[in-house]
Amino acid sequence: MCLGHESSGIVTAVGPGVTLIRPGMRVAVECGIPCKDTVTCARCREGRYNLCPELRFCSSAKTHPHLDGTLQTLMNHPADLLHPLPSNLSYDQGALAEPLGVVIHAARRAALDGEAHGVRPGTDVLVFGAGAVGLLACMLARAQGARTVVCVDVNHARLQFAKSQGFVGVVFNSAHNGPARQAPPNQAPAEALAKMMEGAKCGAEQIMAAGGLKAGEGFDVVFECTGAEQCIQTAVYVRWPVIFARSIVRC
């Protein structure tokens, strides 16, 4: 299977009936292809096609047959999932449209119960993960006026890049700080879970201390951009108050 998503390129040909996209256009590629059946698919009918159960994603083995990714010289793709790039955007910037869309959607989800609980000027924001999505979450939080932006990762180079570029104010390397990320082998499931949750609490305390938060405080919004179990658990304990846990968003 060919890998690759988060891409941009040039349209070389279009099928019959395509009018909004023309050969020669520079476009960003939206790599999730929904079923588009608005009769039987409730998610597509609602316009939330990103949640379509039949969604096929470039370079994903989720469905069979697998769908090749974008690291190809030529590929076929639905015209309505190609987004024209303005002349002042590079191809590299166009390739960031998809992960940026993920982050913007997550930020909006964080504010579903009112703007007071989303990212706004003066808020304290924590981001787990310093990959493409995590760094964009940090940048978005900065752009929306967050007072404090803290990023957690295990990769020192990524954290230093985030800090040197001004994306974050504080970085926390969880590979060198906090509890072990995996339970010891041959441990009873209940005991392993208890130890992992205790580790999540300990890690949360260290992260909040690194971010300059006082005892009893917590981050206003948390972006979880890793998928790692320990990070997801820790996110619960760094969010305050816990009754507003919907402001923990999974990117």
Side-chain angles (χ1 to χ4, degrees):
M1 180 178 68
C2 181
L3 300 179
H5 49 286
E6 298 178 0
S7 302
S8 59
I10 302 175
V11 177
T12 58
V14 298
V18 176
T19 57
L20 299 180
I21 299 294
R22 300 183 302 277
M25 273 189 170
R26 304 164 62 252
V27 295
V29 181
E30 185 173 358
C31 289
I33 305 175
C35 72
K36 304 179 185 178
D37 187 342
T38 56
V39 176
T40 62
C41 180
R43 301 290 83 82
C44 287
R45 185 167 59 249
E46 294 167 354
R48 303 178 69 189
Y49 60 87
N50 59 304
L51 300 179
C52 172
E54 302 301 321
L55 184 76
R56 303 179 69 216
F57 203 88
C58 295
S59 78
S60 171
K62 169 181 176 287
T63 56
H64 187 81
H66 302 332
L67 185 62
D68 281 332
T70 58
L71 292 177
Q72 308 177 67
T73 303
L74 297 171
M75 63 177 289
N76 291 324
H77 203 71
D80 60 336
L81 297 176
L82 300 177
H83 305 279
L85 294 176
S87 59
N88 62 339
L89 281 187
S90 68
Y91 288 111
D92 287 348
Q93 291 170 324
L96 291 174
E98 188 263 341
L100 179 60
V102 170
V103 170
I104 293 174
H105 177 66
R108 290 171 177 168
R109 296 285 293 175
L112 278 182
D113 55 349
E115 291 184 3
H117 301 139
V119 180
R120 65 191 190 284
T123 55
D124 297 316
V125 177
L126 175 65
V127 179
F128 284 98
V133 175
L135 291 178
L136 287 168
C138 294
M139 295 169 66
L140 180 66
R142 281 289 200 205
Q144 293 185 325
R147 176 179 61 182
T148 303
V149 182
V150 179
C151 186
V152 178
D153 203 281
V154 298
N155 187 307
H156 175 75
R158 287 184 176 186
L159 290 172
Q160 290 308 305
F161 174 79
K163 191 166 179 62
S164 67
Q165 297 299 312
F167 301 159
V168 300
V170 178
V171 295
F172 185 89
N173 192 325
S174 56
H176 301 153
N177 303 282
R181 287 176 286 150
Q182 291 183 339
N186 303 321
Q187 194 171 51
E191 183 180 355
L193 178 60
K195 285 186 176 296
M196 188 171 287
M197 297 307 294
E198 186 60 34
K201 292 180 183 179
C202 177
E205 292 173 357
Q206 294 184 44
I207 293 169
M208 288 189 288
L213 300 182
K214 300 177 182 178
E217 294 181 338
F219 291 91
D220 299 297
V221 177
V222 180
F223 292 95
E224 204 300 294
C225 308
T226 70
E229 183 178 2
Q230 188 73 10
C231 292
I232 296 171
Q233 293 169 339
T234 304
V236 175
Y237 294 106
V238 295
R239 176 71 179 98
W240 180 261
V242 175
I243 60 171
F244 293 140
R246 70 188 61 178
S247 290
I248 301 172
V249 286
R250 173 79 180 91
C251 295

